[in-house]
């Protein structure tokens, strides 16, 4: 497909609602920010935030700065936003890290808690890095987490339950992978490309992690602000057609020198 320049990609992100006026409503965003601030670990996505983010307004400030949501705390209901310029800025930062991985032929682990939307994004990046000589980490067999099985499809780790790929925010599947690698005497990956708790858990354990996050998943943005997560790309992580992510992925791979 044609590789979009920055301006064309911004237009595409807004048109497909990957960024711009996204589907996630304001009250849902604020509810998640509040729950993170109140210490609900489900919303910490595998990170250890302690009591550093106990003020909901501090969380909102980070999300306005790094994701582009409305920064007015009085705005409680209606449409919320992701700034497409921030999305492309973060894609450029991710591309720089992918370029480094390719140059060093690093070992890279891919995982997604949003297989319905982002599985093929991860798969395309994995294929591109594999072609440069990177090792795409094969996870140990027989791993379980959260009453499901941790499998790999096209080089991307996912959680499976009842013959269904599962949407999960949990850090437990990534913890199972990292623990399994250690049990097998294998080294940790040099880089993790993931989302949700898969990215948060990896970053918390000291693995270089880059990931994608929606406007109602503040933890990974806080992780980047604190330096625990290397890069967090703001986007709607489940738009109406997963093919909408293809131009974004092409831009990312081109910026990384992988096309």
């Amino acid at each position: 497909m044609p590789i979009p320049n920055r301006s064309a990609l911004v237009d595409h992100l807004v048109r497909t609602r990957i960024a711009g006026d996204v589907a996630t409503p304001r009250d849902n965003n604020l509810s998640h920010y509040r729950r993170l601030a109140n210490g609900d670990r489900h919303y910490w996505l595998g990170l250890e935030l302690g009591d550093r983010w106990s003020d909901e307004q501090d969380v909102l400030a980070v999300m306005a700065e790094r994701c582009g949501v409305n920064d007015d705390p009085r705005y409680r209901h209606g449409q919320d936003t992701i700034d497409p310029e921030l999305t492309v800025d973060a894609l450029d930062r991710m591309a720089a890290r992918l370029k480094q991985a390719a140059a060093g032929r690093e070992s890279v682990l891919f995982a997604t808690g949003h297989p319905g939307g982002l599985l093929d994004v991860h798969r395309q990046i994995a294929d591109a890095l594999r072609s440069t000589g990177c090792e795409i980490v094969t996870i140990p067999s027989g791993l379980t987490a959260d009453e499901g099985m941790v499998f790999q499809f096209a080089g991307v780790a996912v959680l499976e339950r009842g013959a269904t790929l599962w949407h999960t925010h949990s850090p437990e599947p990534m913890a199972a992978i990292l623990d399994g690698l250690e049990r097998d005497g294998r080294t940790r990956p040099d880089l993790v490309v993931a989302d949700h708790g898969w990215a948060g858990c990896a970053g918390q354990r000291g693995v270089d992690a880059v990931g994608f996050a929606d406007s109602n998943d503040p933890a990974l943005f806080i992780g980047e602000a604190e330096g625990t997560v290397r890069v967090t790309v703001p986007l709607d992580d489940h738009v109406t057609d997963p093919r909408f992510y293809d131009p974004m992925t092409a831009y990312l791979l081109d910026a990384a020198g992988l096309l």
Side-chain angles (χ1 to χ4, degrees):
M1 74 162 45
I3 300 165
N5 60 23
R6 183 185 182 100
S7 176
L9 179 59
V10 166
D11 289 345
H12 172 79
L13 295 174
V14 172
R15 187 172 61 256
T16 58
R17 302 184 72 186
I18 294 172
D21 291 334
V22 293
T24 310
R26 176 67 167 191
D27 55 324
N28 182 263
N29 282 342
L30 294 181
S31 172
H32 287 204
Y33 305 168
R34 185 179 313 113
R35 292 179 185 186
L36 180 147
N38 289 340
D40 187 334
R41 285 181 171 268
H42 174 77
Y43 296 91
W44 288 14
L45 301 183
L47 296 167
E48 292 298 329
L49 302 180
D51 59 2
R52 299 185 299 280
W53 298 91
S54 57
D55 187 336
E56 178 186 345
Q57 302 311 315
D58 290 340
V59 180
L60 174 60
V62 167
M63 294 303 293
E65 176 188 16
R66 293 179 176 269
C67 184
V69 302
N70 190 311
D71 64 356
D72 185 353
R74 296 167 298 180
Y75 180 56
R76 311 299 296 180
H77 300 279
Q79 185 70 55
D80 215 339
T81 57
I82 292 175
D83 185 340
E85 297 288 350
L86 293 178
T87 301
V88 181
D89 287 345
L91 289 169
D92 288 340
R93 296 196 301 276
M94 181 182 282
R97 184 61 186 88
L98 296 176
K99 182 179 290 188
Q100 177 186 338
R105 295 189 175 183
E106 294 180 352
S107 61
V108 187
L109 173 63
F110 288 85
T112 184
H114 239 302
L118 298 178
L119 178 61
D120 203 48
V121 174
H122 290 287
R123 192 273 306 167
Q124 291 180 63
I125 304 170
D127 286 349
L129 286 177
R130 185 184 291 109
S131 71
T132 72
C134 286
E135 175 198 353
I136 305 307
V137 175
T138 301
I139 68 172
S141 60
L143 298 179
T144 61
D146 298 330
E147 301 180 348
M149 301 293 295
V150 185
F151 291 146
Q152 257 176 324
F153 292 93
V156 185
V158 293
L159 181 68
E160 185 267 354
R161 287 187 196 165
T164 301
L165 303 188
W166 207 255
H167 171 212
T168 177
H169 290 70
S170 173
E172 294 306 319
M174 178 58 74
I177 292 172
L178 297 177
D179 290 345
L181 292 172
E182 183 177 359
R183 280 195 306 271
D184 290 352
R186 297 166 58 190
T187 59
R188 299 189 307 182
D190 299 310
L191 175 65
V192 165
V193 182
D195 47 61
H196 288 177
W198 306 79
C201 176
Q204 186 62 46
R205 291 203 181 191
V207 181
D208 231 8
V210 299
F212 303 96
D214 209 329
S215 59
N216 63 355
D217 291 327
L220 293 189
F221 296 98
I222 289 174
E224 183 179 15
E226 293 194 328
T228 310
V229 176
R230 182 75 173 264
V231 179
T232 300
V233 177
L235 47 67
D236 187 316
D237 54 17
H238 196 109
V239 292
T240 56
D241 185 345
R243 293 274 68 85
F244 288 164
Y245 296 109
D246 286 347
M248 179 195 78
T249 308
Y251 176 93
L252 173 65
L253 295 179
D254 182 62
L258 297 174
L259 288 181

